[in-house]
Each structure stands twice: as structure tokens, then as C-alpha cells.
Amino acid sequence: MSDKTRGGQFIVKETKCEAIFTPEDFNEEQLMMRDSVKEFVDKELWAHKDRFEKKDYAYTQECMKKAGDLGFLSVAVPEAYGGMGMGFVNTVLVCDYISGATGSFSTAFGAHTGIGTMPITLYGTEEQKQKYVPKLASGEWFGAYCLTEPGAGSDANSGKTKAVLSEDGKTYSITGQKMWISNAGFCSVFIVFARIGDDKNITGFIVENTPDNGISMNEEEHKLGIRASSTRQVFFNDTKVPAENMLSERGNGFKIAMNALNVGRIKLAAACLDAQRRVITQAVNYSNERIQFNTAISQFGAIRSKLAEMATSCYAGESASYRAAKDIEDRITEREAAGSSHQEAELKGVEEYAIECSILKVAVSEDVQACADEGIQIFGGMGFSEDTPMESAWRDARIARIYEGTNEINRMLSVGMLIKKAMKGHVDLLGPASKVQEELMGIPSFETPDYSELFAEEKEMITKLKKAFLMVAGGAVQKYGPDLDAHQQLLMAASDILIEIYMAESTILRTEKLAKANGADKVKEQIAMAQLYLYQAVDIITQKGKESIISFAEGDEQRMMLMGLRRFTKYTNMPNVVGLRETITTKLVAENAYCF
């Protein structure tokens, strides 16, 4: 494999801005794709937002058909099965721009193209792929994914649904109950997870939705948001499935489910981006039009602060999502070049960056909620009314922190996977961690560094924040070893540090690359966003680092680590936070839109 940074290695390696992909690097094909998706969304979804809020499930299905006709359901599907066979960045790009108008459609789209189609593309036999994938790619058929059960949520492998093989060995009979099944109301095929005998792990099956085959459903669920996304309980009662419809091999279901979720996580992050752009644009429009005390409210500092923070989070989310998407795409290409099948390459490529996928899922789903919340606040009383798009954006955003693994699970996964990678020797954490220990014992340098180059201080800050992570995580691992899993609060704090480092670094690198291409004076707003994001990140890392250190260390060790934390989070030159926000908002207000 090449010397490209492996998954999770960002925490111990310096990444050069030239090595990352940014939204400014989209090629002509990608820009055309983006524009055609935006046109579809504005015409079919945004213009009929009220229909989704009124639970018009038929309209969701109609729009899914149209998306199929336009090829949007087939972007990630190989050409051999009727798809466009585009790269991973394009998959993420379409997911981003198609998801901004309404969570109802975005859920239907994500459930169908991701967990509904992808398990067959990635784990199916040649016969299974030939039979099902072209219909799913064109939108002739829709897919759904049946994993969750009343007793099996985050603990997905604990499902009780049973699959029993017939005496002649030709069919399995599936019996059990599944819940929260997206697209259940209009799907043609289910990916169903069931347990054979007393197997330790569940097994995946492709099950066609024929009602006379023991398949029944409850009414549509009444939900806080994503109201026109079909969500039902599905009951299988002695449902017969041909033995050749087993997906992959027996007992491999848990692995299929977990890998499907990895891809789902980065796509879910992307699906929260255009929603933020639209909320920000709406909020800027409103604040420019709304006059109070003879002044547009966009001129008031309290509102300007909100707009700047909303734009900064969105910009950071874009920076990190496309950085990871391209890393995954490069890894897939590399594996294919080395002789792996498309299936194997894609699975391993995404698995390699599972840590980044979890980080993105958490960060961007929390940012979209905060963005919609501030959107309501800027609209004031109007924001609370169904006449403006803010309250539905806020309701729709709420599910993003729950599905594809809750944010709590993903926080623990990100650090847990990193420690596992270190144990396997894929990421050297121990070497850098012991160097940090030595540095803490040594005398700090008091020279004033030369920060004349753009981002010199910010990049040094990122290096120091990585040391803070290594110090905190390393200290916790030393103290608890393999029992660290039982200390969830420490894992959560460590993961917040990890998340902020990845997001801040991605934002700085994207902006540095942009400044090198266009000149720093042309991108002063982006520079302000990168600096503002880093400042907030340092604050979070200081707080979470302190919380961890005082919870697991005591005496001299605690004093030493707190001193280290202060050293690793100390600016030489503090940024002018209000000034940064002003720079960002001045541009937003002048352009009357999210314009980065």
C-alpha cells in the first residue's frame, strides 16, 4: 500500500494541505452532478416541502421514482449492474446535495441506496447481484433494511428473529419482529437479519416483500420529524426464503450490518451538510429583511455571532467529510489496482477509515441540530411556526444523532477502534505517546517562534492538541488497559478531543490549500472560519482533557498532566474572536446566502 495516511493515523502524523481533497477540487463532472441534483431538489422537494410535513408518503415514493429516472439512485452501483459506477466522492456528493430540503426524502434515499442496495452490491453472489441490483439501481424496486428489533437496538447482534432451514435444505423459514424499518411501506425487497439455531452471530437474507408470504406490517409510525418517511414495524411469520437468498455466509450478518453502518455514517454526515447550507441561507435572508429598532437584525452583534458560528460549523463539516470521502476513494482505487474485486476493495476501503466515519457522523449530526436551533432563534416567534422552514429542519435534524449507531456508541467506537488499530500495529500510538511523556518531563522552550507564515501558529496548535490527546488517552490506557471499555465517560471525553482535532485540522488544511491557490487576501472569510473553529476546538479540548485527567489521575501525575494540558492548549497569540465572527458575517450578509 502507498504511504498515504491510513485510517486513524491523522492523530500521529502531520498531513500536508496538498494531500487532502476539498470541495474546491470538484471536477467538471462532479460540478454537473451537483447542479443537476440541486435542480431536482429545488423543483421536486423544496418547492413541495409542505407535502412532506403533511405525511404525504405517496409523494416521497413518487420523488424516489423520479430520482431513479434521473440516475441518482445508481451513482454507487457498478456499471455491470445498471449503475453509473462513480467513485466514492460522487456518492457522498449526491448524498450531500439531495438531502438538504427535507429529512423525509433524505431518509428514504439513504435507506434505499445505502443499507437497502449496498449489502447486495458488496456481499451478494453474482446471481443475487444480477437479479436484484439493476431493479434497485433504476428505482423500479425499492429496498429496506431490517436489523432493529424491540429488544435489539444498539446491541444489534442480540436479535431474536429466527431462520430455520427446511428438511430438504431448499428454503429458510423466517419468524420475528423488526421495528423502525425505513421504506417499509413501499419497498419490494428487505435485507433481513435473523439467527440460525444457536449461532453466536446473526445471518443476512434477501427477502422479497410478498404479503402472502407471512409478511405483515403495523401502521405508519407517528414521529417527531422525517414525517413522510415510511417507518413501520414488520412481522415475519414463517416467511419462506430460498436458501440461495442467504447474503454472504452463515453467521456473517453482524459483520455485514457493521460495515453497512460504516458507509452509512459518512453518508449521514454528508446528508447533514446541505441542510445546514439551506438553513443558513434562510436565516441570512430573514435577518436581512427583518427590521427592528429601524435596523435590519443582521446588523445586530447577537445575530451576527450566531450566523458566523453556523457558517463555521458547516464549512468545517464540508472540509472533513470530503477529506475522508477522497481518502476512502483513493484506498478503494489502490486496492482495485492491487487486484482486489470491487466488492472487496470498497469494503476494505471504507473499513480502513471507520474511525473517521464515526467522527464525522457525530460531529456533523450535532452541528446540523445546533444550526437549525439557531435558525429558529434568528426567526424568533416565526421560527416556531410551521409557516417557516426552520421548525421542520429542527425536527428532521433530531434523528441524525440516533440512527447509524447513536452518537454515544460512535464516540466510544472512534476511540475503541483507534486503540484496536494501535494494538494491531496499524497506527503507532505508543511511540508518540511515550515521546509526549518525555516532553512533559523536559523543560519547555521559551523561544518566540516565527509565525509569519499563514496558519503557522494554528498548525503548531494542532500538533500540540494531538499531544494532548495522546497524553490523556495514553494515561487512561496505562491505568485501565483492556478494561478501558468499562469507563465510558473517559472514552467519551477522549473521543470529543479526537473529533475536534480531526474537524479543526481538516478545516485549516482546506483553507490553507485554498489560500495557496487564490491568495490569502481572497479568502479572508475562510481563514477567519478556520481560526474560529480552532479556537472553539481548543476550548472543548481543554475542558474534556481536564475532566479526564482529574477523573483518573491523582497526586503528582495529575499535576504533571494538568500542566501538560495547559502547555498543549496555550496560544502564543490569541485570536480576536469577535473580529473573526464579524469578518465571516459581513460576507454572509452581503451575499445574502451561505456562500463558501
Side-chain angles (χ1 to χ4, degrees), residues 49 53 224-225 227 369 372 375-376 379 382-397:
K49 206 166 161 56
E53 295 317 307
L224 171 70
R227 288 184 169 172
Q369 186 85 57
I376 291 180
F379 271 69
M382 283 303 289
F384 205 71
S385 159
E386 288 187 2
D387 294 341
T388 60
M390 288 299 158
E391 62 86 41
S392 63
W394 184 87
R395 285 185 290 100
D396 283 353

Side-chain angles (χ1 to χ4, degrees), residues 121 131 293 397:
T121 318
K131 183 174 179 183
F293 312 105

Side-chain angles (χ1 to χ4, degrees), residues 71-79 83-88 90-92 94 113-114 117-118 121-122 133 137 263 267 342 346:
F72 299 147
L73 304 180
S74 73
V75 175
V77 172
E79 291 178 36
M84 291 193 190
M86 288 183 162
F88 196 77
N90 290 54
T91 302
V92 168
V94 170
T113 55
T117 305
M118 198 178 51
T121 318
L122 296 186
V133 177
V263 185
K267 288 171 73 176
H342 171 74
E346 184 134 337

Side-chain angles (χ1 to χ4, degrees), residues 57-293:
Y57 302 108
Y59 190 62
T60 301
Q61 190 178 345
E62 189 186 314
C63 292
M64 283 289 288
K65 278 258 184 266
K66 286 181 182 164
D69 294 342
L70 292 165
F72 299 147
L73 304 180
S74 73
V75 175
V77 172
E79 291 178 36
Y81 311 107
M84 291 193 190
M86 288 183 162
F88 196 77
V89 171
N90 290 54
T91 302
V92 168
L93 175 75
V94 170
C95 197
D96 170 354
Y97 283 92
I98 212 160
S99 302
T102 161
S104 297
F105 180 84
S106 144
T107 299
F109 176 85
H112 170 75
T113 55
I115 51 185
T117 305
M118 198 178 51
I120 308 178
T121 318
L122 296 186
Y123 286 97
T125 61
E126 190 54 38
E127 294 72 35
Q128 288 168 345
K129 289 188 288 189
Q130 294 287 0
K131 183 174 179 183
Y132 294 109
V133 177
K135 286 179 175 163
L136 291 165
S138 67
E140 181 189 336
W141 279 19
F142 293 115
Y145 176 87
C146 300
L147 177 62
T148 305
E149 298 182 15
S154 296
D155 182 5
N157 203 27
S158 66
K160 304 261 186 292
T161 298
K162 286 278 176 216
V164 180
L165 188 59
S166 61
E167 283 189 3
D168 62 9
K170 287 185 175 161
T171 54
Y172 279 93
S173 170
I174 295 183
T175 301
Q177 173 186 4
K178 297 289 182 179
M179 68 194 300
W180 312 127
I181 306 308
S182 297
N183 296 354
F186 60 85
C187 78
S188 318
V189 65
F190 296 107
I191 308 288
V192 181
F193 294 92
R195 194 176 310 278
I196 303 172
D198 294 326
D199 285 5
K200 179 174 169 243
N201 289 326
I202 49 182
T203 298
F205 294 90
I206 303 169
V207 182
E208 293 185 26
N209 183 11
T210 40
D212 55 2
N213 187 13
I215 300 175
S216 58
M217 293 183 199
N218 270 7
E219 287 303 301
E220 291 286 353
E221 300 283 354
H222 298 287
K223 309 185 294 290
L224 171 70
I226 57 170
R227 288 184 169 172
S229 137
S230 172
T231 314
R232 294 184 169 192
Q233 288 195 38
V234 182
F235 302 91
F236 298 97
N237 185 10
D238 213 7
T239 300
K240 302 284 185 278
V241 184
E244 62 269 21
N245 274 28
M246 182 189 285
L247 196 53
S248 184
E249 58 238 32
R250 177 172 175 171
N252 220 8
F254 186 59
K255 198 172 172 185
I256 297 174
M258 291 305 102
N259 280 324
L261 291 176
N262 282 336
V263 185
R265 283 170 186 147
I266 182 168
K267 288 171 73 176
L268 181 63
C272 295
L273 293 173
D274 198 51
Q276 288 179 77
R277 294 186 200 102
R278 285 173 186 266
V279 165
I280 294 164
T281 293
Q282 295 281 317
V284 175
N285 294 167
Y286 185 80
S287 66
N288 275 335
E289 286 160 19
R290 173 74 171 161
I291 306 293
Q292 290 292 282
F293 312 105

Side-chain angles (χ1 to χ4, degrees), residues 438-497:
E438 284 166 32
E439 188 177 329
L440 288 178
M441 300 303 213
I443 296 163
S445 151
F446 293 107
E447 289 170 34
T448 311
D450 170 22
Y451 289 139
S452 51
E453 203 174 301
L454 177 67
F455 288 137
E457 179 164 9
E458 287 79 3
K459 287 196 303 195
E460 186 180 287
M461 199 69 178
I462 291 284
T463 304
K464 291 195 299 191
L465 294 177
K466 290 178 183 181
K467 289 177 183 174
F469 173 82
L470 291 166
M471 175 182 75
V472 172
V477 169
Q478 261 173 337
K479 173 142 191 187
Y480 298 112
D483 297 336
L484 185 59
D485 278 4
H487 298 271
Q488 291 195 345
Q489 297 190 43
L490 288 177
L491 281 174
M492 303 265 288
S495 86
D496 280 333
I497 299 174

